Amino acid sequence: MVYGARLLIGLGMLAAAGSCAGRNLPPEPDSYVAADAIGAERAAELSASPAVTWLDDLSSTEMSSLAREALAGSPELQVVEAQYRAARWRARGSFGGNLLPSLEVGASGTRTEEPIAGSDERIRTEFMTSSVVASWEIDLWGRLTARALASDLSADAAEEDLYGARLSVAGQASQAWVGLIEAQQLLALAREDLQTRERALDLTQRRYDAGIASSLNLRTARSQVASARAAEAAAQDGLLIASRRLQEIMGRYPDGALRAEGELPQLAPLAAAGAPADLLERRPDVLAAENRMRAAGFRVHEARAALLPRLTLRANAGSTGEGINDIDDSANMVSNLIGGITMPIFNGGALLSESRASVADRRAAAASYVRTSIAAWREVEGTISADTSLETRERQFAIAADEARAAQELAEREYSRGVATLFDLIDAYTRRIDAERGLISARADRVSNRIAYHVALGGGARTGGIDEDREITP
């Protein structure tokens, strides 16, 4: 047993030496396994996420509540979360599998039977073998470390993708809520328009019965009522579509029964977006692109180091015998320690091609980072300019709606006295409906644009993160 103990101590020292090479190990992501369950604890965790804290700036309790529910129940978000957890586990496996020694234990047994000549008896022979094998590749040129760090940075990019997905789901839910309110208001406007035109038809029918209005006026009034009923049906369908859209984002059954109880928030003046450089530190897609660019840099180093010699240490011990007790006897074990250097000579140019391909991949990652950064700036600038134009549009449609309502009231009075024609009344109705519809859409578009502005800025302030203290440079 003395030799067996020495062998185990030696293997332990080998593993300890390997653990020194496995620096910057990420912590075990046990918390992500617990995040599979969707419940009150998960909802509370997500409700404090920077992906939704910006919603409080819009001062709409209902919108914030629905967005947080969407974070807890969105199937799309659960897919991204699972992908991130898988990437983080693979990164951890890359550190352990590449930088630490490997240890394998095996046992095998064989049984042979040979007949005895001239007899019915047979000779049975049993033979068993046990083995313990440990191997470790010394990371002479940093190839294995570069591979592990590239994998870890890829997991960091997946984490930013997760944050971006949360931010996107919160924004989609908020905009879907705005769309639901808009659809409800448009339906109410369509029903009001139908009632108005039915009153005009009733008045025209009485004037026709009295011989004052012509058949043309009566048929025109009937046509207007039919068109208003068709518009009401279309608005009803639009409401169901908007309701199902929000339910889908939230992970509910899309029966179209969801209705918004609140009103669109009153928007405060647009807050300053900050310096363009600050945006690059807030946007998850930009940070993800940056991490992928840095990972590509490590892969270039890995591919180049693969062309250099490799030093591998290998230790094994084994024993043979006719039974379990024999192979468990460590005193009879045979052990050896082998160190060897290998260097690739010819492999059809595969390693050289991979080295050059990794350089091209890094150039592509750098170009992708630049493209993502420019797109982020464009989105912010676009929402800022759109806020100004939408504010003007809302203000002008409000004026137009007020004037159109006053004009409609005047046209109704004059038509009832026989001063205005039916076509004057229809024109007043049409102008009021168009102005009211434009005002509803302008208000909804402005709130949706304000939501897009917060999303374009990267949501709330970033606080904390996994392995945030780790310093990695390509």
Side-chain angles (χ1 to χ4, degrees), residues 144-216:
L144 301 179
T145 301
R147 177 189 298 176
L149 292 178
S151 179
D152 198 36
L153 282 169
S154 296
D156 290 342
E159 181 183 9
E160 294 299 335
D161 290 338
L162 172 58
Y163 180 85
R166 288 177 174 176
L167 185 62
S168 175
V169 167
Q172 290 177 28
S174 302
Q175 290 179 332
W177 173 79
V178 172
L180 179 59
I181 291 183
E182 180 184 8
Q184 291 177 180
Q185 292 178 349
L186 289 176
L187 177 59
L189 179 63
R191 288 173 175 170
E192 180 185 353
D193 182 45
L194 176 59
Q195 295 175 357
T196 301
R197 296 183 188 270
E198 285 178 341
R199 289 199 307 269
L201 174 59
D202 181 67
L203 179 58
T204 303
Q205 183 68 53
R206 286 188 278 110
R207 289 169 60 87
Y208 176 78
D209 294 339
I212 302 175
S214 65
S215 177
L216 174 61

Side-chain angles (χ1 to χ4, degrees), residues 47 49 94 145 158 171 313 344 355 363 367 374 392 398 414 443 465 473:
S47 65
S49 170
S94 179
T145 301
L313 299 180
S355 176
R363 289 176 181 172
I374 294 176
T392 302
E414 292 182 349
R443 287 174 175 170
T473 55

Side-chain angles (χ1 to χ4, degrees), residues 55-71:
L55 290 168
D56 299 331
D57 296 337
L58 297 177
S59 303
S60 175
T61 304
E62 184 181 31
M63 181 175 66
S64 299
S65 176
L66 293 176
R68 286 176 167 83
E69 181 179 345
L71 285 180

